[in-house]
Amino acid sequence: MPCALLGVLATLLFSLLVADTFNHRLRRVTPQGTISTVAGGPGFANGVGTAAHFNHPWGIVVDGHCTICVSDYGNHCIRKVTPADWMVSTLCGRQAEGCADGAAAAARFYPPRGLALDMHDNIIGTDSDNHCIRKVALSNWRVSTLTGSRAGDAAEKGFADSEAAAARFNHPHAVAVDGNNTILVTDHSNQRLQKIAGEGALVMTLAGSGMGAVDGEGASARFTFPQAMVIDERGRLLVADTNNSLRMV
């Protein structure tokens, strides 16, 4: 690995990157607690550092080449940030809401929210108001719908455990990928945690079955608008249950 890349990797490993959503900025927190703005400002613009602009950046993921990918929620696109110089460019999508698979600039989101990397180095993202889960292949930046509605219509939201296009979500928010390449999703308005597994992208309810604050297994658990999630070093799933508390699965 080139020395320059090693230096960038060390910067990312030992710093915390934060999507400062309502300040429209990407911030960095060093181990010493120093906070700096590395890119962003309100609006839309590609460029270096603070010359670039975001509209409510939401999710962040770092790929194996140290490229930072950010879901630019209000601009309906996914942005790319190179940490060597903090250059921001548009990876896929554009400033127009919609629902379309295809090559980078032809793809449409409404709007992208949570991001994660799968074990094949693809970006998995929640397309919240399109009620589906999208995949971005990093080999060619092509966007496809992994599961959920492909119609991009609010009428397509709902709840259905099934394979691929037959499954239904209701404003999915966060996404994570475990060590078995199983995709986990907070199905925000269905008050559930969903999992997506296998080549057929089979969607199954992992936990939850309605609004509330009840601990338990599977469908006996209750959530109230689960939002963010992360898998810890022990493989436990930690969920920010918006109207309740931090939950562990």
Side-chain angles (χ1 to χ4, degrees):
M1 184 179 290
C3 290
L5 187 55
L6 282 172
V8 169
L9 182 60
T11 297
L12 296 179
L13 283 175
F14 297 106
S15 295
L16 178 66
L17 292 172
V18 179
D20 191 358
T21 303
F22 290 97
N23 280 321
H24 313 286
R25 287 165 168 82
L26 183 64
R27 316 288 290 279
R28 181 173 68 182
V29 185
T30 69
Q32 295 75 35
T34 301
I35 300 172
S36 59
T37 297
V38 296
F44 177 83
N46 291 321
V48 176
T50 54
H53 292 169
F54 298 95
N55 186 349
H56 295 89
W58 199 280
I60 296 178
V61 70
V62 181
D63 72 14
H65 301 288
C66 301
T67 300
I68 303 164
C69 300
V70 181
S71 58
D72 194 356
Y73 179 92
N75 283 320
H76 307 289
C77 60
I78 297 176
R79 314 289 289 281
K80 178 174 73 171
V81 186
T82 55
D85 56 3
W86 302 113
M87 168 65 79
V88 178
S89 57
T90 300
L91 178 62
C92 52
R94 59 184 299 179
Q95 276 186 288
E97 63 188 53
C99 185
D101 292 337
R108 295 290 181 272
F109 301 90
Y110 180 47
R113 196 184 288 263
L115 299 180
L117 279 182
D118 71 8
M119 295 179 71
H120 304 296
D121 217 23
N122 299 307
I123 295 175
I124 306 299
T126 58
D127 194 358
S128 189
D129 288 4
N130 280 325
H131 312 289
C132 62
I133 310 301
R134 312 292 290 281
K135 180 174 76 172
V136 184
L138 294 189
S139 59
N140 57 10
W141 312 122
R142 188 171 185 83
V143 177
S144 58
T145 299
L146 184 64
T147 182
S149 170
R150 289 181 170 84
D153 191 322
E156 294 295 312
K157 71 182 178 183
F159 170 74
D161 285 348
S162 189
E163 287 191 345
R168 288 293 177 268
F169 300 88
N170 193 344
H171 293 98
H173 273 214
V175 63
V177 179
D178 70 12
N180 297 314
N181 210 36
T182 299
I183 299 165
L184 308 169
V185 179
T186 55
D187 196 356
H188 180 263
S189 297
N190 277 326
Q191 323 297 340
R192 286 168 166 84
L193 305 184
Q194 307 277 52
K195 64 178 180 179
I196 306 167
E199 292 296 322
L202 176 62
V203 177
M204 297 171 283
T205 298
L206 176 65
S209 60
M211 189 179 294
V214 180
D215 292 340
E217 292 187 10
S220 66
R222 295 287 186 275
F223 299 92
T224 303
F225 302 114
Q227 187 159 218
M229 65 160 67
V230 67
I231 298 173
D232 73 7
E233 70 282 0
R234 298 182 185 179
R236 299 174 300 187
L237 183 63
L238 305 178
V239 180
D241 192 10
T242 305
N243 287 13
N244 293 318
S245 59
L246 183 65
R247 314 285 291 279
M248 183 173 70
V249 181

